[in-house]
């Protein structure tokens, strides 16, 4: 008897049932309201034992670790089908038929497992309980298994879980391993829920956010909160090997306005058009991260070597832009050349020769154990200059500190001539700290395109597509594009995009979006147009347009400028640049488009 009680206690104290998660997912899916989602998460976090809260968070995000660790959960659909077939005893061909009907293997698993349970007599509910630990453990094994027989092992790990799962649990297990959980929960919603679950004060929210900006690992933040409370979060420090969320720039339409906003004096730097890289150096160990905090170390061994050679200290974290160069002339090349190297696992040597890059450093965030982010920018720049020994491959961003508009304009023209996009102005006052993860006026960008067309390219998210007609029959005629509204955490449509694609790109579009297809509009998308296909909002494209107009059809910033009207981009054209370094939440915001609309009016008027 005593033993039985002990065992029972162990289950509630240490283990957590996966059912609690599955039920929460089900509730989250039933709403599109962010506040309701947050409430459901708060309830879940409150009942989660501190030891597993990190796992609960990662699973809710559809992953096993923070992205920067590069360990991805994923299984091919055909393997998942085999696992469902093994668990239910239903032939694969039949499962495939059901899949065609439902379009979601999660639903198929739910339905078939329900039937199986009805046919078997034992009381499944009482006998077996699937724990979060078990689910996580098997997912983790699936993510790590390699080599011969690994496919079979993946099927086994998955089938083992499905055997223990209720129909509802099975649905979410399948969706998770297929990377199709699609709960639409943004990181900020999780931060909100954590702050409420573990204290509820506004003060806590700001500490949690600060921790997230310098240590973007929601699992470990949650664990510290749950175990040590607010002190645990306050103690989170910058750590080598853990990327810091990038500081971003605001924009203004003229150098005069920028200078005024900066208080009459600022540092002006070349705005290099390459790929943002955050480099961490800890002795021999080096990590490179992208703007989206993916680990790029393996893809840029030449940058690793270059930074090692240029740094005169032991430990440091640097912010910079990697730009491809023409090895013969030393000219800066367009960014597209670097994008060839992204995602390449093979042929890196060859790519390095073809497209060598120069790393232009513009900031230092950490040096030999000291966090420098709260020092004003001029001090950080001085430190940067003192610890970097410039080489052919590592240089400091070209900079002037000026209050003279004529001098700044000349410098801008020089930047363009030297192959840069424009300038980034940086505040040089006492307040000019490094604001990780923030887009504020401490940095203001000014690009050449402001003089042409609508002023700037925008980065929009593809949320759906329209079937092609005439020559485009069989592929998409246009994509439905949206801007991001962070207040409402949703994507609001702003144009149909059909030009700027090459024939090859056009033909490939349906394949490219295949994995993101869903059968109805995504809950985070606000559209009044009825697209022929709907996507999970994920893919970001760079778009240039002729003008921003008021629109009765599009929902972007609806009612903000004029009641009943949204904003639309006229004559949008794909620039050829897939912004896969940006998450959908980093796309151009509805607020930015409102600003661009107003500035455009100002210029015309
Ligand atoms: P964009 O598409 O204009 O690069 P973004 O949203 O990627 O915009 P922003 O923060 O708005 O990024 O603009 C600043 C970007 O410019 C940085 O992310 C960085 O990649 C790049 N950059 C180039 N040179 C500099 C520099 N000297 N200082 C800061 N950022 C620079």
């Amino acid at each position: 008897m005593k033993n039985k009680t002990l065992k029972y206690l162990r289950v509630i104290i240490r283990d957590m049932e996966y059912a609690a998660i599955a039920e929460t997912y089900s509730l989250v899916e039933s709403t599109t309201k962010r506040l309701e989602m947050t409430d459901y998460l708060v309830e879940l976090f409150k009942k989660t034992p501190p030891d597993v809260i990190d796992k609960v968070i990662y699973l809710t995000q559809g992953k096993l670790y923070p992205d920067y660790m590069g360990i991805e959960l994923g299984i091919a659909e055909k393997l998942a089908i085999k696992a469902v077939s093994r668990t239910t005893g239903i032939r694969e061909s039949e499962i495939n038929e059901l899949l065609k009907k439902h379009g979601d293997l999660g639903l198929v698993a739910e339905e078939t497992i329900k039937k199986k349970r009805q046919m078997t007599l034992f009381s499944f509910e009482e006998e077996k309980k699937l724990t979060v630990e078990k689910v996580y453990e098997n997912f983790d094994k699936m993510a790590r298994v390699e080599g011969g027989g690994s496919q079979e092992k993946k099927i086994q790990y998955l089938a083992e879980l499905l055997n223990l799962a209720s129909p509802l649990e099975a649905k979410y297990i399948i969706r998770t391993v297929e990377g199709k959980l699609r709960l639409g929960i943004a990181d900020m919603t999780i931060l909100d829920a954590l702050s409420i679950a573990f204290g509820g004060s506004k003060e806590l929210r700001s500490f949690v956010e600060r921790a997230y900006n310098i240590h973007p690992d929601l699992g470990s933040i949650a664990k510290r909160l749950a175990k040590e409370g607010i002190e645990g979060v306050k103690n989170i420090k910058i750590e080598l090997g853990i990327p810091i969320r990038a500081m971003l720039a605001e924009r203004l339409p003229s150098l005069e306005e920028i200078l005024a906003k900066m208080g009459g004096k600022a540092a002006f730097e070349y705005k290099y058009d390459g790929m943002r890289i955050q480099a961490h150096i800890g002795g021999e160990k080096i990590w490179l991260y992208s703007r989206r905090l993916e680990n790029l170390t393996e893809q840029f061994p030449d940058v690793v070597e270059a930074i090692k050679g240029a740094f005169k200290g032991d430990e440091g974290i640097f912010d910079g832009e990697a730009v491809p160069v023409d090895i013969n002339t030393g000219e800066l090349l367009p960014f597209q050349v670097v994008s060839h190297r992204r995602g390449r696992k093979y042929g890196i040597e060859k790519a390095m020769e073809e497209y060598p890059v120069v790393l232009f450093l513009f900031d230092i965030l950490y040096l030999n154990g000291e966090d420098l982010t709260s020092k004003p920018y001029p001090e950080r720049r001085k430190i940067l200059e003192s610890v970097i020994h410039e080489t052919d491959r590592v240089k400091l961003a070209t900079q002037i500190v000026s209050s003279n508009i004529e001098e700044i304009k000349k410098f801008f023209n020089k930047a363009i001539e030297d192959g840069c996009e424009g300038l980034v102005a940086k505040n040089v006052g006492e307040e000019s700290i490094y604001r990780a993860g923030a887009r504020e006026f401490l940095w203001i960008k000014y690009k050449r395109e402001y003089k042409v067309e609508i002023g700037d390219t925008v980065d929009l998210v593809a949320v759906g597509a329209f079937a092609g007609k005439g020559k485009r029959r069989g592929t998409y005629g246009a994509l439905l594009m949206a801007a991001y509204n962070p207040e409402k955490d949703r994507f609001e449509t702003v144009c149909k995009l059909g030009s700027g694609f090459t024939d090859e790109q056009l033909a490939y579009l349906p394949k490219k979006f295949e994995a993101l297809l869903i059968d109805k509009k995504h809950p985070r998308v606000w559209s009044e147009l009825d697209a022929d296909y709907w996507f999970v909002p994920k893919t970001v494209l760079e778009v240039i347009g002729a003008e921003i107009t008021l629109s009765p059809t599009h929902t972007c910033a609806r009612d903000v400028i004029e009641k009943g009207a949204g904003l639309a981009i006229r004559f949008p054209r794909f620039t050829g640049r897939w912004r896969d370094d940006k998450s959908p939440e980093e796309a151009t915001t509805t607020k930015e488009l409102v600003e661009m609309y107003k500035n455009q009016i100002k210029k015309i008027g």
Side-chain angles (χ1 to χ4, degrees), residues 246-251 269-276 291 320-321 362 397-398 421 424 426 439 443 445 447 456-457 459 542 577 579 581-582 586 592:
M247 176 164 175
L248 301 171
E250 268 290 351
R251 54 178 130 201
E269 289 177 3
Y270 276 15
K271 184 175 193 307
Y272 299 94
D273 187 12
M275 182 194 281
R276 183 130 182 207
R291 183 183 184 290
E321 187 93 353
F362 50 74
T398 304
E421 275 187 299
V424 184
K426 296 186 174 173
R439 189 188 288 285
W443 286 9
K445 61 184 169 182
K447 292 204 259 183
D456 194 2
T457 57
D459 299 314
E542 187 179 74
R577 187 166 171 191
R579 290 302 308 255
D581 58 325
K582 282 198 173 180
E586 287 172 326
E592 285 178 274

